[in-house]
Amino acid sequence: MSRAQGRGMRPWKLLWPPVVAFGAIIALWYAISYGTMDANRRRVLLPAPHEVLNEGFLTWGDRSGLRPILEAMAVTGRVALGGLLVSCVGGVGVAVAMNRSRALERAVFPVAVVIQTIPIVALVPLGRSWFGSGTWSRGAACVLIAVFPVLASANHGLRSVDRGLHDLFDVRGAGRLRRLRQLELPAAMPSIMAGCRIAAGASVIGALVGDFFFAQGEIGLGRLIQNCQRALR
């Protein structure tokens, strides 16, 4: 389908596939909740959609309902956003340095790969020992899990710039800074944005894992999940 055809489609043709898919998921949810479970199992394992909506979004209280969810979401979101920003800036910065030196790339990239292959749950306790149980430790967990996609994508984008464009900048006598600003970074931006998009989800995972491990400080979504699990909610 061409772009012109896509723009000319009626709105309902664009909306009905996700609406049908969402309706099918809700119907299956109700079927499992009421068709395979009694009241006690349904309350603990899989409450019906309207019960989740009422408890999670329509009930406002100090201990249950929307308020603690929003407060925990603010804590986790702040940690995830900070970790994402550090990962994006640091990952691109290291990728630029690696692009300038093949020796540095050969030294740094294998280390980054090894760190990425280590399960995050094995690294988080070390962060707790080094930084304590506060925001810094949770942010470190986000960076550990989110920096590699940015680093790898940015490095690939910088290495993939057309050789002919580099030759043109050589003819113009462009310096390294000008070449980086006007050629390499703009050409690598799609790859960098793809890495940042992956890192955004990974940063949230890191924030949640940090919440699960650090039982002190502000309550984030991870600790809220644990508290509700203990109370069979």
Side-chain angles (χ1 to χ4, degrees), residues 128 132-135 138 210-220 223:
R128 180 178 181 178
S133 300
T135 303
R138 303 180 189 187
D211 282 340
F212 280 124
F213 272 88
F214 304 137
Q216 299 176 1
E218 297 179 287
I219 295 179
R223 286 181 60 194

Side-chain angles (χ1 to χ4, degrees), residues 169-222:
F169 272 70
D170 289 336
V171 171
R172 294 282 185 173
R176 287 188 174 184
L177 183 59
R178 182 182 177 186
R179 187 190 303 263
L180 175 66
R181 186 178 68 252
Q182 297 183 357
L183 173 61
E184 293 174 336
L185 284 180
M189 194 56 64
S191 297
I192 293 174
M193 295 307 297
C196 291
R197 184 169 63 247
I198 298 172
S203 182
V204 175
I205 295 174
L208 288 173
V209 172
D211 282 340
F212 280 124
F213 272 88
F214 304 137
Q216 299 176 1
E218 297 179 287
I219 295 179
L221 286 176

